[in-house]
Amino acid sequence: NPHVALTCNLCLQPGNRKREGALLAFQKGGRRNAAHSNCAATCPEVSLEKGIWKNVTRACARGSKLACLSCGQKGATIGCTFGTDACLLSYHFRCAENTGWNFDRDGKAFFCDLHRMYAPNFSKLRLISKGFYSLKNPNTP
């Protein structure tokens, strides 16, 4: 429908966005998906090889079953990488970065704020952002 804005299947936000990147269209067989470049690039199963995106449709299908710990919306494909099946917390790209994680600085292997201390090259400055702490602890100054 040309009157309905395309939304990202991973973060559920419409159109191109500064933080999430350009909204790209993907098709595999009969499945069609749209995903922002940063939302797709930070999914663990997705890769960009010689200009060709791999496994974006798979990530969108998996994300349709996963709710984000931060905002509660579906499409959260970024899981904490602490241990094998030890942490089941999932986030969207934006929500993961709102916890203080920076994919450019910290890498694609995301660690939630509970397990961040186990991340390689951990620094106390990366525990959680003030904004995320305030959101989770509204009665704390």
Side-chain angles (χ1 to χ4, degrees), residues 85-102:
D85 298 325
C87 182
L88 302 176
L89 302 180
S90 294
Y91 296 82
H92 296 108
F93 166 76
R94 175 181 287 268
C95 296
E97 285 207 330
N98 285 347
T99 71
W101 193 263
N102 181 302

Side-chain angles (χ1 to χ4, degrees), residues 52-116:
I52 299 172
W53 289 91
K54 305 278 186 175
N55 300 319
V56 176
T57 302
R58 182 182 298 165
C60 291
R62 184 173 64 83
S64 69
K65 301 170 192 144
L66 299 171
C68 178
L69 177 72
S70 182
C71 72
Q73 298 292 313
K74 297 283 186 182
T77 58
I78 300 167
C80 178
T81 57
F82 174 72
T84 306
D85 298 325
C87 182
L88 302 176
L89 302 180
S90 294
Y91 296 82
H92 296 108
F93 166 76
R94 175 181 287 268
C95 296
E97 285 207 330
N98 285 347
T99 71
W101 193 263
N102 181 302
F103 288 95
D104 289 334
R105 177 194 67 207
D106 302 322
K108 192 171 180 175
F110 172 74
F111 286 80
C112 71
D113 56 308
L114 298 174
H115 299 113
R116 189 126 331 139

Side-chain angles (χ1 to χ4, degrees), residues 25-34 56-62:
F26 299 93
Q27 182 174 348
K28 184 170 185 174
R31 288 195 248 166
R32 295 180 181 159
N33 292 291
V56 176
T57 302
R58 182 182 298 165
C60 291
R62 184 173 64 83

